[in-house]
Amino acid sequence: MRLLTAAVTTVALALGAQIASAAPIEIKFSHVVAENTPKGKMALKFKELVEERVGDEVTVSVFPNSQLFGDNKVLEAMLLGDVQMAAPSLSKFQKYTTQLQVFDLPFLFEDMAAVDRFQQSETGQELLNSLNKRGLVGLGYLHNGMKQMSANEPLRVPADASGKKFRIMTSDVLQAQFEEVDAVPLKKPFSEVFTLLQTKAIDGAENPWSNIYSKKFHEVQPYITETNHGLLDYMVVTSAEFWNGLDDDLRVEIKKALDEAIAYGNQISGEQAAADRQAIIDSGRSEVIEITAEERQKWVDAMKPVWKQFEDEIGADLIDAALKSNE
Ligand code: LMR
């Protein structure tokens, strides 16, 4: 009897030790921008909320500045289980779905309020599922903002871009957009943009204010034209394998924390864009060019044929639904 009691005690102690030492689940969140951007701040807010609420079960490690993966590798890494969350730009999902290309169409959204309306609409929410068949789960949209065009010479009308090399994200829509103005688009990773600009291997780029400022692109681009011609927003994604493998209660807690972190990121994105724009002007390193309505219309006329070009791939209904968000 004494032997039996001792055996039971030993097993109980061992189990207890095992439970006590069960390591928390680690969510690695990988992204490519700086910490002082809407995405950088959102990721840190997510870490804070998760660890505050379920820190004994889950930890979040945030890897900014392409420290862990660039956007060209991160989704593959996610499917292999090497990273659990990321928020690539909507321009970077082309290999997984053509539907999200709707967000790249130039001059489609009048402002960020229209973008927000579309993302929160039934159609926008359905698009979060467009990656499911490829093993990825869209968890929400995050704003950065509208893109501006920068170059080593002033860009006022489309003819000014002719023959110039522009870095673009990995999107065929963005490639077509620059081809429409006879420029030379080059798909390059975000981590290489500063050096490419600094060494003049390329002439220009398109970026939202927070990316220009946080990565100091304005120090190597003497002119930034305020075109607001396109969108740079994100989708926060995870893998179906990771997400569905979580206990239901924990998944609910993590999603709640993420929704709150995204709401925070979206709320600060507008103020951040305005502040970074002003900081660039104040730095005196780059001239911010405000174009006239007539000049802007020339860019619209030159780039809009891209819509027709991608209508079949994206779907005319989807383009119409996005356009309706302007009303
Ligand atoms: C880019 O590659 O320009 C952007 O996707 C970077 C980012 O995440 O904002």
Side-chain angles (χ1 to χ4, degrees):
M1 185 64 196
R2 221 184 281 156
L3 256 183
L4 187 64
T5 313
V8 168
T9 312
T10 314
V11 170
L13 281 175
L15 266 176
Q18 218 179 351
I19 290 165
S21 69
I25 296 164
E26 186 190 18
I27 297 181
K28 290 189 185 143
F29 192 131
S30 171
H31 69 83
V32 300
V33 291
E35 288 188 326
N36 58 340
T37 57
K39 183 160 59 179
K41 290 178 182 171
M42 181 282 280
L44 291 175
K45 174 64 87 183
F46 173 62
K47 173 182 171 64
E48 180 193 312
L49 294 175
V50 167
E51 293 183 353
E52 193 178 281
R53 295 170 188 176
V54 286
D56 48 343
E57 293 172 87
V58 186
T59 61
V60 179
S61 309
V62 181
F63 299 89
N65 296 311
S66 314
Q67 272 166 17
L68 193 58
F69 294 107
D71 280 336
N72 51 345
K73 283 273 174 297
V74 76
L75 297 176
E76 286 165 35
M78 189 171 281
L79 291 170
L80 292 171
D82 293 335
V83 60
Q84 287 68 42
M85 276 196 193
S89 142
L90 293 164
S91 314
K92 292 181 176 169
F93 290 98
Q94 184 179 293
K95 255 170 61 184
Y96 297 83
T97 173
T98 54
Q99 288 186 301
L100 294 176
Q101 290 180 316
V102 68
F103 289 103
D104 273 346
L105 295 177
F107 298 105
L108 181 67
F109 298 105
E110 273 168 21
D111 52 29
M112 290 308 291
V115 171
D116 203 61
R117 279 195 292 276
F118 179 57
Q119 290 175 350
Q120 299 315 320
S121 70
E122 208 180 316
T123 310
Q125 291 296 301
E126 273 167 20
L127 284 179
L128 290 174
N129 301 326
S130 60
L131 305 164
N132 291 2
K133 55 187 181 307
R134 306 297 302 268
L136 297 169
V137 180
L139 297 172
Y141 295 102
L142 174 71
H143 297 322
N144 184 327
M146 291 294 182
K147 289 178 291 186
Q148 319 302 334
M149 254 183 243
S150 65
N152 47 19
E153 283 174 43
L155 301 173
R156 287 196 169 277
V157 291
D160 297 331
S162 174
K164 288 199 181 302
K165 292 187 195 134
F166 285 87
R167 178 270 172 171
I168 54 163
M169 296 180 274
T170 48
S171 153
D172 289 350
V173 173
L174 299 180
Q175 179 174 341
Q177 166 197 281
F178 277 105
E179 284 170 353
E180 289 295 347
V181 296
D182 296 323
V184 184
L186 297 164
K187 291 177 181 167
K188 295 284 180 190
F190 188 62
S191 55
E192 291 177 21
V193 178
F194 182 87
T195 306
L196 288 167
L197 292 171
Q198 188 185 36
T199 58
K200 300 199 168 34
I202 55 174
D203 304 296
E206 51 165 10
N207 285 286
W209 293 114
S210 74
N211 284 3
I212 298 175
Y213 186 62
S214 60
K215 288 293 177 190
K216 301 187 185 336
F217 297 156
H218 62 295
E219 296 186 4
V220 288
Q221 289 278 265
Y223 301 99
I224 303 170
T225 307
E226 191 160 26
T227 45
N228 290 314
H229 64 281
L231 173 72
L232 200 159
D233 265 15
Y234 307 107
M235 190 185 284
V236 183
V237 285
T238 186
S239 76
E241 194 178 337
F242 171 72
W243 197 240
N244 298 330
L246 291 169
D247 283 350
D248 289 352
D249 291 352
L250 205 52
R251 191 185 315 112
V252 168
E253 278 302 326
I254 295 172
K255 181 65 169 51
K256 204 163 147 257
L258 183 67
D259 288 346
E260 287 176 40
I262 287 178
Y264 163 75
N266 285 346
Q267 182 218 318
I268 61 165
S269 61
E271 297 152 25
Q272 176 109 39
D276 289 345
R277 175 186 180 278
Q278 193 55 48
I280 289 166
I281 294 171
D282 294 346
S283 76
R285 301 292 294 265
S286 188
E287 183 185 334
V288 172
I289 301 172
E290 291 178 40
I291 49 176
T292 64
E294 293 76 42
E295 287 169 336
R296 190 167 194 274
Q297 191 56 44
K298 291 200 168 105
W299 290 98
V300 176
D301 294 343
M303 290 179 162
K304 219 167 149 181
V306 170
W307 296 18
K308 207 67 228 134
Q309 201 180 323
F310 285 85
E311 191 180 272
D312 288 346
E313 269 182 50
I314 295 171
D317 291 357
L318 202 49
I319 299 176
D320 281 350
L323 267 176
K324 285 216 172 68
S325 65
N326 289 323
E327 289 165 9

